[in-house]
Amino acid sequence: MLREWWRERPPRERAVLAGGGAALLLVLAYLLIEPHLAERQRLAREIPELREDLSWMREHVAEVKRLGGESAGPASGSVEGERSFGPALVEDSLRGAGLADEVETLRSSGDEGVQVAFTRVAFPELAGWLGDLRQRSGAKVRTARIQRNEEQEGVVEAELTLVPGEEP
């Protein structure tokens, strides 16, 4: 039936139909292949960024471990009348470091610890604040999840659980 219909067409119409069919096949092939090519290009661009992230993380792992309480106790002395470790002390130290506005969540974690979450905070400021908090109160980082912000260099998203350490 299709062959019969095809034979009935004049040669000029058959040429136009064949050209249109070939063009349609090319468009369909492109539509099937293009998303895969675009994804491959995106991944090829992302690999150097991921290698840079890995390098950055390797450079800073020692500092994170040091701030995480794996080093010796705090170095400074206690101030008379200083508050015991808890959300209020952490909030005061955040305010003193200029990071209070960056905090998304600040709450007690139940086991004498404090949970702090930041959606966007500069890593050097975060590390400095943790070091200062450790020196002043002896606080240690029990758990930490720190993730690089894709949009801004040196900015991270962080979730920390802080616990009291030895009294300074």
Side-chain angles (χ1 to χ4, degrees), residues 15-89:
V16 169
L17 288 172
L24 182 63
L25 284 174
L26 287 173
V27 168
L28 287 174
Y30 174 77
L31 291 174
L32 290 173
I33 293 172
E34 193 277 333
H36 297 288
L37 293 174
E39 180 67 8
R40 185 175 178 173
Q41 287 175 343
R42 184 190 67 79
L43 291 172
R45 284 190 311 269
E46 196 173 284
I47 286 174
E49 292 175 18
L50 292 173
R51 284 187 177 137
E52 183 180 313
D53 290 349
L54 180 61
S55 173
W56 182 85
M57 288 178 195
R58 285 180 175 158
E59 288 174 18
H60 291 86
V61 72
E63 183 175 3
V64 170
K65 283 181 179 178
R66 180 182 59 82
L67 295 173
E70 293 186 15
S71 63
S76 66
S78 181
V79 175
E80 190 68 34
E82 193 171 341
R83 269 186 273 189
S84 65
F85 184 79
L89 179 100

Side-chain angles (χ1 to χ4, degrees), residues 117-134:
F118 302 87
T119 50
R120 286 177 174 236
V121 64
F123 182 77
E125 281 78 15
L126 177 65
W129 167 68
L130 286 170
D132 186 55
L133 181 64
R134 178 166 173 79

Side-chain angles (χ1 to χ4, degrees), residues 87 107-115 142 161-164:
R107 66 175 176 256
S108 177
S109 69
D111 60 346
E112 297 184 34
V114 177
Q115 292 178 334
R142 175 173 286 160
T161 301
L162 306 170
V163 295

